Amino acid sequence: MRIAIGNDHVGVELKQHLVKYLEAQGHEVVNFGTDETASNHYPIYAEKVARAVLSGEFDKGILICGTGLGISIAANKIKGIRCAVCSEPVSAELSRQHNNANIVAMGARMIGPVMAEAIVDKFLNTEFLGGRHQLRVDMMTKLENGGTLE
Ligand code: RB5
């Protein structure tokens, strides 16, 4: 699988751990930065990974900041992105099955490397279920495009 990964200064160490972990599984991982631990701005890396995923060149994206919150909120501002913050693997699995999430976000201050591995394993290896869930994803797309469900 081709995976785009990005993070702010808080996520550097966890990102580097996951790159090694995923490459050892045979995934192709492209690092969109940062590798700097000086304070920087998570929306920059959210945008890079989001646009990479939307380009069609990558199957999935992974984002990391301190909590996973800021970087996921930023990614979700970009049309077509469904980014789910996960701190355990059940949410990661359901974000794929029900929400067809295309990016997973994690908080380097919230979880350790072993939990992050379990999260990305579920996220990358779970298919969207479609059906009634597709209807709901379509409703979200309508909202994203300025439509209303009323
Ligand atoms: C950086 O201090 C921190 O705000 C950032 O990593 C993230 O947690 C934001 O949501």
Side-chain angles (χ1 to χ4, degrees), residues 8-11 39-40 42 64-73 106-110:
D8 74 355
H9 54 291
V10 184
S39 182
N40 53 48
Y42 55 80
I64 305 166
C65 67
T67 57
L69 295 171
I71 208 157
S72 65
I73 292 169
M106 290 170 285
R109 288 175 171 151
M110 305 293 131

Side-chain angles (χ1 to χ4, degrees), residues 9-144:
H9 54 291
V10 184
V12 172
E13 202 176 326
L14 183 58
K15 185 271 302 290
Q16 289 171 349
H17 175 85
L18 285 176
V19 169
K20 280 191 207 138
Y21 176 74
L22 292 167
E23 285 179 344
Q25 291 182 7
H27 293 294
E28 191 181 337
V29 186
V30 175
N31 175 13
F32 285 84
T34 184
D35 287 292
E36 299 294 328
T37 52
S39 182
N40 53 48
H41 308 300
Y42 55 80
I44 295 168
Y45 307 99
E47 180 182 10
K48 287 179 192 292
V49 168
R51 298 214 188 280
V53 169
L54 291 173
S55 75
E57 289 178 39
F58 295 87
D59 300 295
K60 296 278 180 331
I62 299 174
L63 287 170
I64 305 166
C65 67
T67 57
L69 295 171
I71 208 157
S72 65
I73 292 169
N76 280 319
K77 298 292 179 196
I78 298 177
K79 203 179 267 197
I81 293 300
R82 290 176 301 279
C83 178
V85 190
C86 296
S87 54
E88 36 67 36
V90 178
S91 297
E93 183 172 32
L94 288 168
S95 79
R96 291 288 312 129
Q97 288 182 337
H98 289 198
N99 314 119
N100 201 12
N102 45 16
I103 300 181
V104 67
M106 290 170 285
R109 288 175 171 151
M110 305 293 131
I111 60 168
V114 174
M115 185 63 81
E117 290 173 8
I119 290 168
V120 298
D121 282 348
K122 278 294 181 198
F123 185 73
L124 298 177
N125 296 304
T126 304
E127 293 301 318
F128 179 48
L129 292 177
R132 69 182 188 280
H133 303 294
Q134 181 63 60
L135 190 69
R136 293 161 188 166
V137 170
D138 290 344
M139 291 168 86
M140 292 193 283
T141 303
K142 191 170 181 187
L143 293 174
E144 185 176 60

